[in-house]
Amino acid sequence: MKYAVDNRGYYGRFGGAYIPEMLYPNVEELRTRYLDILQQEDFRREFDDLLRNYVGRPTPLYHAKRLSEACNAHVYLKREDLCHTGAHKVNNTIGQILVAKHLGKQKIIAETGAGQHGVATATVCALMGMECIVYMGEVDMARQRPNVERMRILGATVVPATSGSKTLKDATNEAMRHWINNPTDTHYIIGSVVGPHPYPDMVARFQSVISEEMRKQLEEAVGNPFPDYVFACVGGGSNAAGAFYHYLNDEHVNLVAVEAAGHGIHSGESAATTALGKPGVLHGSKTLLMQTEDGQVIEPYSISAGLDYPGIGPMHAHLFDVGRVKFVSATDDEAMKAGIELGRLEGIIPAIESAHALAALKQFEFASDDVVVVNLSGRGDKDLETYIRWGKY
Ligand SMILES: *Cc1c(COP(=O)(O)O)cnc(C)c1O
């Protein structure tokens, strides 16, 4: 596959494994084993069974007729919002906990920013009866109280990261430190297509079920597996990677990634990584990230917690580099309006992350027979507070 990771763990000039020496054995064990495990018959059977009977897959591909009229194209929504736990993230945590089992691990650690990945991880740990420790910045714990309590209800231990800015970056450092000290019995579940090789490739493979289903469902719905466009929002890039995966080599399918522009790309408060970012190392891989002249990571901002990330996965940095994926952005305002519009037109309140993908539809002139798929990565229940504070509905 033309855009696949190479055997050194790179996508073009991005990727690799930039990790402390002490972490090398853990990452190396995963690197040498993951492809074998993913191909094993009993792994496939258990993964497919849990996706179907626990997560609720395949998720519907819904023809949004009133939204289609408003956009002057045939718009379909890939309903990842209907997954158990309310978003696509569980596709990945199910896959990784099965990998952990195959590696003989008994404990799981994870880091979380907004708490969504922490909840998806705590969920699968409860499912498998495995011990779960989630590192979370102290500031994020205060901001995302309901998710902290969800994790605790599910039996996870939430450990506050109290250094630095007390947010995601610090939680990641704590999780890495834990993993260094507990290499033999613990697996670290990373929540997006980020981190050292092989994580970006492994997570993309788990999320690729999204476009695998899309191809079949489009074939059934319109007699052709290829849409004209696929839209997805990008935080780290896992739902986009899943939605694009089985179309990457079909160059006639336009792939659009939507970043969060916050208060505006040049406002100093945004998370529009490709517009503002430069190559650097973040979270164990070489990628594009928002940084100052002297390489300090710039704190990102977005109204949606899931897009509030200063980088993108190395696969996306490469797809941007070579022009295979078009990157656009939507501001807080545009996303909130698009989220409320979807509620009014289709009776679906989307996650504010997903609303960014919807907002980008307005930036395109479609032909009236174009087939457009929007990956609706999550549902809006978790964002009710933000919708209420926004108020304009
Ligand atoms: C976490 C999250 C995202 C962003 O993460 P990606 O890895 O970029 O997909 C998007 N949408 C929802 C609903 C999320 O919870």
Side-chain angles (χ1 to χ4, degrees):
M1 209 167 95
K2 189 173 162 194
Y3 299 102
V5 74
D6 68 22
N7 53 17
R8 294 161 45 248
Y10 279 82
Y11 303 86
R13 60 189 174 124
F14 298 109
Y18 295 77
I19 49 172
E21 186 86 27
M22 303 274 285
L23 216 53
Y24 184 79
N26 310 31
V27 173
E28 189 60 9
E29 178 185 32
L30 191 62
R31 187 187 71 79
T32 53
R33 299 279 312 275
Y34 83 111
L35 287 177
D36 264 355
I37 293 173
L38 264 59
Q39 276 153 20
Q40 281 171 24
E41 178 64 28
D42 55 340
F43 175 91
R44 291 252 48 111
R45 199 173 330 108
E46 198 171 3
F47 185 53
D48 292 348
D49 176 66
L50 286 171
L51 287 185
R52 171 176 289 273
N53 297 311
Y54 186 71
V55 175
R57 306 204 71 90
T59 58
L61 184 73
Y62 166 66
H63 185 197
K65 296 187 192 62
R66 282 172 30 90
L67 179 63
S68 293
E69 237 166 75
C71 295
N72 188 37
H74 301 287
V75 181
Y76 288 80
L77 303 177
K78 182 57 175 160
R79 299 290 309 274
E80 293 302 296
D81 61 315
L82 295 177
C83 289
H84 174 50
T85 70
H88 66 290
K89 284 196 173 73
V90 71
N91 302 326
N92 168 48
T93 56
I94 294 253
Q96 282 200 49
I97 202 153
L98 293 179
V99 167
K101 259 181 44 177
H102 279 253
L103 290 172
K105 310 288 178 181
Q106 293 100 43
K107 296 180 184 168
I108 296 295
I109 55 169
E111 90 290 337
T112 194
Q116 294 302 109
H117 172 58
V119 170
T121 302
T123 299
V124 298
C125 287
L127 177 70
M128 295 294 168
M130 274 161 93
E131 187 181 330
C132 180
I133 299 177
V134 179
Y135 289 92
M136 188 170 187
E138 205 170 36
V139 168
D140 289 336
M141 282 179 73
R143 283 196 292 217
Q144 308 288 343
R145 189 71 200 285
N147 277 340
V148 173
E149 298 312 322
R150 271 186 198 109
M151 288 184 263
R152 288 181 173 150
I153 290 169
L154 292 163
T157 305
V158 184
V159 178
T162 55
S163 61
S165 56
K166 304 180 174 57
T167 57
L168 180 62
K169 170 168 57 62
D170 314 291
T172 303
N173 291 339
E174 295 286 327
M176 295 247 189
R177 197 166 310 140
H178 182 119
W179 206 22
I180 288 170
N181 292 326
N182 302 271
T184 48
D185 66 350
T186 302
H187 174 69
Y188 179 14
I189 298 190
I190 292 182
S192 188
V193 284
V194 301
H197 178 67
Y199 279 99
D201 183 54
M202 181 170 67
V203 176
R205 284 168 187 262
F206 292 144
Q207 294 293 357
S208 73
V209 65
I210 298 173
S211 48
E212 189 183 319
E213 289 172 6
M214 261 158 55
R215 288 180 72 118
K216 286 185 204 142
Q217 291 168 320
L218 278 173
E219 174 79 57
E220 245 170 61
V222 300
N224 176 0
F226 303 110
D228 295 289
Y229 292 86
V230 181
F231 284 76
C233 66
V234 176
S238 69
N239 87 89
F244 297 165
Y245 197 90
H246 289 288
Y247 294 117
L248 285 171
N249 291 335
D250 305 301
E251 310 266 346
H252 60 289
V253 178
N254 295 292
L255 305 174
V256 184
V258 187
E259 296 181 322
H263 292 147
I265 289 179
H266 300 293
S267 65
E269 288 179 297
S270 101
T273 304
T274 58
L276 301 171
K278 302 219 161 41
V281 171
L282 179 70
H283 210 147
S285 68
K286 187 157 179 228
T287 190
L288 289 172
L289 64 133
M290 294 169 29
Q291 54 188 313
T292 60
E293 291 280 310
D294 53 353
Q296 295 294 320
V297 173
I298 295 172
E299 282 288 320
Y301 163 81
S302 166
I303 194 168
S304 86
L307 302 185
D308 194 351
Y309 186 70
I312 49 172
M315 170 186 159
H316 289 292
H318 177 58
L319 293 169
F320 170 74
D321 224 19
V322 297
R324 174 65 188 98
V325 173
K326 186 176 171 65
F327 279 73
V328 301
S329 66
T331 62
D332 287 2
D333 280 19
E334 290 163 346
M336 294 307 292
K337 282 184 193 139
I340 290 160
E341 185 189 23
L342 191 72
R344 293 293 164 91
L345 289 178
E346 301 289 348
I348 299 168
I349 302 173
I352 297 171
E353 291 85 357
S354 323
H356 284 73
L358 293 161
L361 294 173
K362 303 273 188 296
Q363 301 170 19
F364 287 73
E365 282 279 344
F366 300 115
S368 59
D369 61 350
D370 277 348
V371 172
V372 177
V373 179
V374 180
N375 196 39
L376 208 68
S377 56
R379 57 175 171 249
D381 304 31
K382 68 180 176 63
D383 296 321
L384 198 60
E385 277 291 321
T386 311
Y387 277 112
I388 293 168
R389 222 175 309 124
W390 171 256
K392 294 166 220 156
Y393 48 80

